[in-house]
Each structure stands twice: as structure tokens, then as C-alpha cells.
Amino acid sequence: MSKAKIENSIFNVLKEGVKIYCMNFLQFTRYMAFPVLGQLAGMGLIFGLAGLYTAYLPELIEKSPAFNNFTTIVACVILITVPGMIIFLKAFWDFLVAYGALNSMADSALNTGRVYDFPAHNSLITQRTFKYVGLWFIIGLLSLIAINPFFIIIAAILFIYFILVFQVFTFEEDVSILGCFRRSMELVKGNFARTFILMCIIGFFTHYLFVEGFSVFFDLTGLTGLLSKPFESWVMTNIPIDSFNNWLLNINPRADILTPAKVAESFVYQIAFFIVTGFTLPLRSICWSLWYKALNNSCVKSERKSGTRRLDKNILKRAQKKED
């Protein structure tokens, strides 16, 4: 099969993307381990230590009146949450960097068949930290605007047009922040339907099917019950479930009431969702990198053809003048 057919076919982009991901699964998993699990560990430390401190605070106050002071309580909460916050922020930043670095890894895997030297791929992004933060700032701003119900349809359309901004940022280093969005729109323009289909296929597998499978694994191995117990205790202590249920029943007497167990299981499902979508980020990045290359090559070819046609017309005009 020719390279052109692989590049311009959605099916073959997916096939090649899955192939690269599976062949380098261990490397990609190792790379995403800290960005994904580090965020969960950091959040666990923050809420776990804060919860323990809150639970034992009455005893601490009885033993030492110094703890019966608002300033002391706040200072202690800050001190015990600092380690978890440091771990979380470092993992969160690495996760953001991965959105760009994984595109470089995908390109390396496509050309050499291997993924290695993670720091080199990260440095490709971190050496342009200011521009990269600006890119994420605009994405965050657009996401906030998209929350408004009046802009949902417009935001969904723009999301598809801007879906290649990280690929543009990675592969076209001289493009400005706003230029990344313009370039992505140029590439997707004329290929909107195919890009939408590709997005739906990737999203179905990585955001739904794999997540459901992972949730079933949690249920079969008993991890759901094991993980939900700490959340259930935290919900009973910190969330006014009864007040919410009373308010809900006043609105709809037939509504299903919430229980601490249901809320805890929902938290566990969100953890499973985050783990799966986090570890499958390389698969999505690979597919979108291949799609970027396909659309970019198509643009280059069309520009060359259009340039050739203009040249041919000029040559014909000059030839006609000479004949006259």
C-alpha cells in the first residue's frame, strides 16, 4: 500500500496509530505513569492528610490549646498539604507537556520505529514554555466560553477546527500562538467531516469503550468496593447528602436519592476514567499527528499544483506575446 493512501485514509491512520502505540506500549505507559498516577497520588495526599487532620483536630485541641486558633489551624492545613500539592503540580505540568511531546515521539516512532530519549522530546516543548503556556491559556479561555449553553454548537465546531493546535505547535516551531489556531483551521478546512469522524472513532474507544472495560475490571477484582470505602467515609463526613436529597425530592418526588455509596462509586468511576484517558493519550496524539501529516501533505501538494498552473499560464501568455 502506498504512503499516500495510508496518509489520506481515516482507516489507515487509525491502523497505523494503533500499530505504533502497541509496538511502543511499554515506553508510552512508562512515560505517562507519573503524569497520570502522580496527579492521583498528589490529590490523595492532599485530601487524605487534610481529612486525618480534621478528624483528629478535636483531640489535638484538648491536648494542646495552641491548636484552638484559626491561624494555627490554617497554617497546619497548608503545611500538611504542601507535599501533595508539589507532587500534583509537577505531575499536572508533565501531563500538559505530554500533549506536545507525544507528537514528537509519534514522529520519532514513525521514522525510526522506536520511542526513546523522553527528556529530548520534552525539551522540544519546554524550551518554548512561555508560548506553550499561552497556548493552554487560550484553550482554557475558549473552554470557559464553551460552558455557556448559547455557545455550545459554535464551541463544538471550533473544537474540531482547532483539534490540531498541539501538532502545529510541535512540528511548526516558528508559528505564533494564534498562528497555531489559524494553521489548524486551514488544515481542517475542507476536511471537516473526515476530521469529525476520526474524532468520534478515537473518542468512542478511548473515552467510552476502554473506560467501561476498565470499570468492569475494577468490579471483577473488587477494586471498586475497596476504593469506594474511603470515599464513602469522606462523603458522609463532608457532603450534606440528606439536605441535597430533601431538596431533590421537593423538586421531583420520584427522583432517585443519593447515598454515600453511590457518590463514592461515582468517584471511583471518575478515577478509572482519568486513568484510561490518561494512559491512552499517546494513542490519540499518534493518530492526530498522522492526521496532521496527511492534511499537511495534501496542502503542500495542492499548493504545488496551483503554483504549477499559474506558471503554465504565465508561460503561455509570454509565448503568445512573442508570437504576436
Side-chain angles (χ1 to χ4, degrees):
M1 186 174 292
S2 66
K3 185 177 180 181
K5 287 184 179 179
I6 291 176
E7 290 180 343
N8 290 289
S9 167
I10 292 177
F11 173 76
N12 286 298
V13 164
L14 291 168
K15 180 181 177 182
E16 188 69 18
V18 172
K19 177 183 174 183
I20 293 173
Y21 178 68
C22 292
M23 290 179 63
N24 301 276
F25 178 77
L26 293 178
Q27 292 91 325
F28 285 126
T29 302
R30 183 160 59 90
Y31 176 75
M32 294 302 302
F34 179 73
V36 174
L37 301 180
Q39 291 186 68
L40 294 176
M43 293 296 291
L45 278 175
I46 291 171
F47 287 102
L49 294 177
L52 286 174
Y53 177 72
T54 303
Y56 286 100
L57 183 60
E59 295 183 15
L60 293 173
I61 292 174
E62 290 181 4
K63 294 178 180 179
S64 177
F67 283 97
N68 193 16
N69 182 279
F70 179 76
T71 304
T72 304
I73 293 173
V74 172
C76 290
V77 170
I78 292 173
L79 286 174
I80 64 177
T81 55
V82 164
M85 187 64 69
I86 293 173
I87 294 173
F88 172 79
L89 291 176
K90 178 62 171 64
F92 180 70
W93 171 246
D94 288 352
F95 192 80
L96 296 183
V97 171
Y99 271 85
L102 284 168
N103 301 315
S104 177
M105 294 180 198
D107 187 55
S108 175
L110 188 64
N111 294 322
T112 65
R114 295 191 303 132
V115 175
Y116 58 96
D117 199 1
F118 296 149
H121 294 291
N122 287 339
S123 66
L124 186 67
I125 305 303
T126 55
Q127 66 186 1
R128 293 177 287 160
T129 298
F130 180 78
K131 186 187 292 188
Y132 194 61
V133 172
L135 183 71
W136 271 108
F137 176 78
I138 294 177
I139 291 173
L141 190 62
L142 292 174
S143 300
L144 288 175
I145 296 174
I147 294 175
N148 192 317
F150 295 103
F151 296 108
I152 290 178
I153 297 177
I154 297 175
I157 295 172
L158 289 178
F159 176 79
I160 298 171
Y161 274 116
F162 296 153
I163 203 163
L164 297 176
V165 290
F166 292 108
Q167 285 69 35
V168 174
F169 180 88
T170 304
F171 298 122
E172 302 181 24
E173 298 184 14
D174 296 331
V175 179
S176 64
I177 297 173
L178 295 178
C180 291
F181 291 89
R182 285 195 299 268
R183 178 60 177 157
S184 177
M185 183 173 286
E186 290 173 2
L187 292 170
V188 176
K189 186 178 180 181
N191 299 278
F192 184 90
R194 293 200 298 164
T195 303
F196 175 74
I197 293 171
L198 182 61
M199 182 192 69
C200 290
I201 295 173
I202 295 172
F204 172 75
F205 279 98
T206 62
H207 286 78
Y208 176 74
L209 192 62
F210 292 167
V211 174
E212 290 298 322
F214 202 66
S215 299
V216 171
F217 171 77
F218 266 39
D219 293 338
L220 292 176
T221 56
L223 286 173
T224 301
L226 184 65
L227 293 174
S228 63
K229 287 182 180 179
F231 287 114
E232 188 173 348
S233 301
W234 184 84
V235 169
M236 293 175 64
T237 307
N238 296 279
I239 298 180
I241 294 290
D242 293 335
S243 300
F244 178 81
N245 285 329
N246 292 332
W247 173 79
L248 189 64
L249 291 173
N250 288 331
I251 297 175
N252 183 9
R254 296 183 178 180
D256 293 333
I257 62 173
L258 289 178
T259 63
K262 288 182 180 179
V263 177
E265 289 178 0
S266 176
F267 284 161
V268 174
Y269 181 84
Q270 292 302 317
I271 291 175
F273 179 86
F274 180 74
I275 291 174
V276 173
T277 55
F279 278 105
T280 55
L281 176 60
L283 176 59
R284 296 193 295 276
S285 296
I286 294 167
C287 291
W288 289 122
S289 294
L290 293 172
W291 190 238
Y292 162 84
K293 290 181 177 296
L295 300 184
N296 187 53
N297 290 339
S298 298
C299 288
V300 171
K301 289 178 182 178
S302 62
E303 288 173 0
R304 287 176 179 174
K305 289 180 180 179
S306 62
T308 302
R309 285 195 295 270
R310 286 194 296 270
L311 181 61
D312 291 342
K313 290 180 180 179
N314 292 331
I315 291 173
L316 290 172
K317 287 180 180 179
R318 286 197 296 270
Q320 289 175 355
K321 287 181 180 179
K322 287 182 180 181
E323 288 179 359
D324 293 339

